[in-house]
Amino acid sequence: MADEKLYETKQGNGGERQQIARGDTSAMTTNFGAPLSDNENSLKAGDRGPTLLEDFILREKIFHFDHERIPERIVHARGSAAHGYFECTDPIPELSRASLFAEKGKKTPVFTRFSTVAGGAGSVDTPRDVRGFAVKFYTDEGNWDLVSNNIPVFFIQDAIKFPDLIHAVKMEADRAYPQAASAHDTFWDFISLMPETLHTLIWAMSDRGIPRSLRMMEGFGVHTFKLVNAEGKESFVKFHWRPKLGMQSLIWDESAKLQGADNDYHRRDLWEAITRGDFPEWDFAVQVFDQELADSLPYDVLDATKLIPEEVVPLRVIGRMVLDRNPDNFFAETEQAAFLPSNIVPGIDFTDDPLLQGRLFSYLDTQKSRLGTANFHQIPINAAKCPFANMQRDGMMQTHVPRGRANYEPNSLDEAGEDPGPRPLSTGFVTRPQEVSGPKLRVRAESFGDFYSQPRMYWNSMTASEQAHIASAMVFELSKVSLEHVRKRMLSQLHVLHEDLAKRVATGLAMELPDPVAPFQQPIDLEPSDALSIQKKWRETLEGRQVAILFAEGSDQARIEALKRAIEAERGTVFTIAPKVGGIPVSGGMMKADGQLAGSPSVLFDAIALVLTAEAATKLAQDAAAVSFVADAFAHLKAIGTTEEAKALLDKAGVQPDQGVTDLDGLPDAAKLRYWDREPKVRDLA
Ligand code: HDD
């Protein structure tokens, strides 16, 4: 009897045996196609005996599992991606022969991966960090990878410093912490010794370093590239992405709390938006200029630590990108995606920017160690969608099966009636002739030598509130630096950048402001640029934003539903929260909530509404989760829609009336803003 039962478990019933009939794609098989009858038990000598080496099914399954992980990216390990398309809205044949810019309305498929830089693959989504913004365009003349960031400048000028920068920012070598954080000794030690980093540093310390959503970030190709038209005429270009939802950032305290509330805040937000059909969209713009303009600028356009303000060279929008499909499989697509700045197409070209030149080598090289084979270009997510063929052959994991003997070029096999294989085309990619001469030198160009004017311009372009955020972020980070000489040296650097900033950081650290360092080149005053400020460009909208409605026993269901309708009419989304999710009695009957109060802190939302009876509010005022729900929303400068009945809870949470605290009818409008004026009342800023 016992034996019979064992047999049943192992073999399944007759129906299962039928399921695995040959050719049935629902059948579970080994990797080589042999159908399985049992995925529960290993092969043993007797039901309690040792497992047999013969068990090819067990060995294959565990062998594969043992090798499921591949080396994570050395930087940008934590990322989320989506498929979509690029649509040309304003063709530029006069500037570039790139096929994706050739016709109005032409669509090119894309795969876009966003990332943090410093943390590992399993780290949190909302640390203060630069964000990666890598777009793979599958054009009909090959893949173009625009491997960008959400900050238009980079920390260093020469690729030879990249390993030092990354070693310094990642977790410290002996103790392996902190994970995904720049607030530690080695990062600031490096920064304070390398003034070229200051421009990107001030961006990272600003609200740009803590985006609210991947859908609300700008993106920048950083380097100056070239566009080349059909006649071979070249122009300089910088590439920009502009989010349709507008830019928005977190408050630092909010981003720190989000790390506990939802590790996957950005990943979830992107996934859910696409699932809902709210497809994230960006305008694609170019800043085009010529050598004459480049020569007129007081900085070098080949220096990746400098930007060109839009006020100097305006942006021309030439297309849009829409992300409309989530990956089917995270590993196969997002993890195996290999972006290479060297993936370029006819009509676009590189410049001599020494950072870009180093990148052209690095990314190809890293894919071999990450993906294990020179054939990583055959992995579906990396493969060009246009035909591709050459004489490269063999190698690990070769999946192509080329026919014939033509694996060399030139050949004359066609004369013998054989397929001669592919040949170079006269219309293929051409590098334009460029004069290059001079002695071999291991030096930095003098034209790269002004490290302070552009970070100063950035500081001068911010609102008062944004400046306070920058100074406070620096105080926060430097307070985590245990080496006093590093803090001092950093203050000396900031002293050159801007005295006001340096003083505020010194005061925040309770340190004397040291003398400025002697700069390599004296900074000059550049015109501030409003386009650099998030707050000055704020888009008042509920689109893409989420409002939480807190209700409890006895709440007025009709009011909740009316509010929900009003928010949705403005293209916002609503998330209802109650002390229990399964259903609680409200005025109209029983009502279920989307989330439970303790698991749905207000950091997850853009604004909150309290639809409570006076009795429920009094009860919730005794619940720490409810009190911090409201107190945090207030401290994070969000709109709070409420009624008189919620007073007990509002009082306990320390909410003081201001423009952002409104009645329920006013909430859909109020929720479009953050209340920067409230900030000095809720936190001590540097
Ligand atoms: Fe890089 C990944 C962006 C400088 C070396 N980088 C990587 C990714 C982004 C950037 C978005 C993630 C791509 C993905 O999603 O898979 N990196 C930049 C930008 C830079 C920059 C905008 C400056 C303008 N990077 C840079 C330099 C070097 C590297 C100077 C080396 C000399 N970057 C790498 C890398 C990575 C990478 C080690 C890690 C994983 C990968 O390439 O595929 O090769």
Side-chain angles (χ1 to χ4, degrees):
M1 198 53 202
D3 271 352
E4 229 173 66
K5 227 175 151 202
L6 199 64
Y7 183 79
E8 282 233 305
T9 332
K10 279 203 235 165
Q11 299 295 326
N13 58 32
E16 278 170 26
R17 272 200 295 275
Q18 266 175 10
Q19 243 197 1
I20 56 170
R22 259 180 95 116
D24 182 342
T25 52
S26 67
M28 185 180 271
T29 71
T30 66
N31 282 340
F32 297 97
L36 301 189
S37 61
D38 181 346
N39 189 33
E40 306 291 325
N41 301 294
S42 53
L43 187 70
K44 302 177 200 75
D47 64 351
R48 300 179 60 249
T51 304
L52 300 179
L53 192 57
E54 178 195 324
D55 190 351
F56 66 98
I57 294 172
L58 170 73
R59 277 190 294 123
E60 182 195 81
K61 184 171 177 182
I62 301 293
F63 155 79
H64 196 275
F65 173 77
D66 287 344
H67 299 280
E68 274 181 8
R69 286 292 161 275
I70 59 172
E72 65 175 34
R73 291 166 174 84
I74 167 72
V75 277
H76 297 266
R78 169 85 186 165
S80 307
H83 296 270
Y85 61 87
F86 170 79
E87 182 181 355
C88 176
T89 53
D90 181 11
I92 49 164
E94 73 286 6
L95 292 170
S96 171
R97 58 169 280 209
S99 66
L100 77 165
F101 305 138
E103 292 154 41
K104 191 174 166 135
K106 178 166 180 172
K107 287 188 178 171
T108 299
V110 300
F111 185 70
T112 298
R113 182 174 179 272
F114 305 100
S115 46
T116 55
V117 178
S123 59
V124 293
D125 274 351
T126 56
R128 178 178 296 286
D129 200 352
V130 176
R131 296 302 189 284
F133 191 134
V135 183
K136 190 181 286 293
F137 299 81
Y138 302 92
T139 86
D140 43 25
E141 283 199 302
N143 287 358
W144 174 38
D145 294 355
L146 184 57
V147 194
S148 320
N149 279 341
N150 74 330
I151 289 180
V153 284
F154 200 66
F155 284 105
I156 47 169
Q157 297 173 324
D158 189 312
I160 200 165
K161 294 310 295 171
F162 191 69
D164 299 292
L165 167 73
I166 299 307
H167 286 171
V169 70
K170 283 194 80 114
M171 56 197 189
E172 295 188 4
D174 51 357
R175 58 212 70 182
Y177 64 79
Q179 178 67 253
S182 51
H184 59 111
D185 287 355
T186 57
F187 176 70
W188 287 90
D189 187 21
F190 181 79
I191 293 288
S192 65
L193 290 164
M194 297 278 299
E196 72 196 58
T197 60
L198 290 177
H199 192 195
T200 305
L201 178 86
I202 196 170
W203 279 76
M205 293 299 128
S206 78
D207 295 344
R208 301 266 182 165
I210 41 175
R212 145 75 177 87
S213 161
L214 302 170
R215 300 177 290 142
M216 299 171 197
M217 303 191 310
E218 293 185 340
F220 305 89
V222 179
H223 310 283
T224 299
F225 290 88
K226 282 183 206 163
L227 294 176
V228 189
N229 73 10
E231 285 75 51
K233 184 174 175 289
E234 297 180 339
S235 318
F236 288 129
V237 64
K238 283 190 177 270
F239 296 111
H240 296 251
W241 294 106
R242 287 287 152 97
K244 275 279 165 71
L245 293 178
M247 255 196 304
Q248 192 171 313
S249 285
L250 300 165
I251 300 284
W252 171 238
D253 180 65
E254 190 183 7
S255 102
K257 286 182 172 150
L258 267 169
Q259 298 184 21
D262 187 358
N263 272 1
D264 308 303
Y265 184 62
H266 284 161
R267 181 175 287 180
R268 189 188 311 279
D269 170 85
L270 180 68
W271 180 276
E272 289 180 352
I274 294 175
T275 306
R276 275 198 308 274
D278 287 344
F279 301 138
E281 188 173 331
W282 285 260
D283 276 341
F284 184 65
V286 288
Q287 260 181 316
V288 181
F289 55 99
D290 57 15
Q291 188 66 53
E292 201 184 331
L293 186 122
D295 293 341
S296 74
L297 297 171
Y299 37 84
D300 197 325
V301 299
L302 299 185
D303 172 358
T305 69
K306 308 293 188 291
L307 58 83
I308 306 179
E310 324 183 356
E311 291 81 356
V312 177
V313 178
L315 265 59
R316 170 171 172 193
V317 175
I318 60 167
R320 65 185 194 121
M321 174 174 72
V322 178
L323 298 180
D324 60 359
R325 184 162 66 84
N326 281 314
D328 289 318
N329 182 273
F330 181 84
F331 181 84
E333 302 180 279
T334 310
E335 195 58 16
Q336 292 199 114
F339 292 89
L340 302 107
S342 52
N343 274 356
I344 207 135
V345 292
I348 303 170
D349 208 343
F350 315 119
T351 58
D352 294 339
D353 172 343
L355 195 74
L356 175 59
Q357 294 282 321
R359 293 180 76 196
L360 299 180
F361 164 76
S362 177
Y363 290 66
L364 181 61
D365 192 48
T366 207
Q367 308 312 343
K368 168 70 181 62
S369 96
R370 232 166 51 75
L371 300 166
T373 166
N375 290 317
F376 70 89
H377 63 283
Q378 296 176 12
I379 297 171
I381 196 67
N382 296 324
K385 294 194 195 295
C386 62
F388 59 100
N390 53 44
M391 299 308 190
Q392 294 166 32
R393 290 290 184 275
D394 309 344
M396 265 189 212
M397 301 292 170
Q398 177 59 255
T399 62
H400 291 173
V401 186
R403 297 229 166 85
R405 331 187 246 178
N407 60 355
Y408 60 99
E409 193 275 337
N411 68 61
S412 60
L413 296 172
D414 52 337
E415 291 177 30
E418 294 180 36
D419 180 356
R423 285 164 186 190
L425 282 180
S426 60
T427 52
F429 186 91
V430 178
T431 298
R432 302 296 309 158
Q434 182 188 325
E435 230 20 87
V436 181
S437 69
K440 267 189 213 169
L441 291 170
R442 199 179 280 285
V443 293
R444 197 68 62 89
E446 227 177 287
S447 54
F448 283 32
D450 174 2
F451 306 134
Y452 302 94
S453 304
Q454 286 221 348
R456 182 184 288 178
M457 170 183 80
Y458 188 70
W459 171 259
N460 286 333
S461 306
M462 299 291 104
T463 65
S465 148
E466 287 171 324
Q467 287 185 338
H469 292 168
I470 293 171
S472 302
M474 290 193 179
V475 171
F476 174 90
E477 300 249 331
L478 286 167
S479 298
K480 299 256 181 190
V481 168
S482 67
L483 304 173
E484 197 170 339
H485 72 275
V486 170
R487 280 193 246 141
K488 248 194 198 152
R489 190 167 54 221
M490 198 59 224
L491 288 172
S492 302
Q493 293 284 9
L494 295 179
H495 202 158
V496 190
L497 195 164
H498 200 289
E499 194 172 354
D500 179 33
L501 169 64
K503 273 189 185 153
R504 288 161 74 168
V505 178
T507 308
L509 292 169
M511 286 174 70
E512 291 283 316
L513 180 59
D515 288 339
V517 292
F520 177 67
Q521 270 175 32
Q522 282 301 333
I524 53 169
D525 281 322
L526 299 167
E527 276 296 305
S529 160
D530 282 350
L532 304 182
S533 156
I534 297 179
Q535 290 182 11
K536 290 179 190 170
K537 289 205 287 195
W538 190 269
R539 194 177 152 217
E540 287 188 32
T541 178
L542 273 191
E543 200 179 341
R545 276 69 175 178
Q546 191 164 45
V547 179
I549 303 180
L550 176 63
F551 71 96
E553 239 180 86
S555 289
D556 184 341
Q557 188 168 8
R559 292 193 93 167
I560 297 172
E561 275 159 13
L563 181 57
K564 189 163 187 263
R565 278 194 301 275
I567 290 163
E568 287 171 353
E570 301 259 5
R571 305 206 55 200
T573 53
V574 167
F575 191 88
T576 55
I577 298 172
K580 293 181 180 150
V581 283
I584 50 173
V586 292
S587 65
M590 295 297 282
M591 190 172 157
K592 289 185 181 171
D594 298 320
Q596 186 227 358
L597 178 55
S600 313
S602 60
V603 284
L604 299 171
F605 310 103
D606 294 285
I608 62 165
L610 307 175
V611 186
L612 299 168
T613 62
E615 204 184 345
T618 307
K619 197 169 159 206
L620 286 174
Q622 305 307 314
D623 177 356
V627 176
S628 53
F629 182 83
V630 179
D632 273 350
F634 190 68
H636 299 147
L637 318 182
K638 294 173 182 172
I640 301 178
T642 186
T643 61
E644 263 304 300
E645 287 99 317
K647 190 167 183 315
L649 181 56
L650 291 164
D651 287 350
K652 185 72 181 290
V655 173
Q656 296 152 35
D658 67 20
Q659 273 199 315
V661 182
T662 156
D663 59 19
L664 295 178
D665 290 341
L667 186 65
D669 268 340
K672 294 174 185 167
L673 295 168
R674 287 289 185 278
Y675 294 87
W676 311 113
D677 295 350
R678 188 191 291 163
E679 197 157 29
K681 289 183 221 145
V682 293
R683 104 176 22 97
D684 188 19
L685 288 168

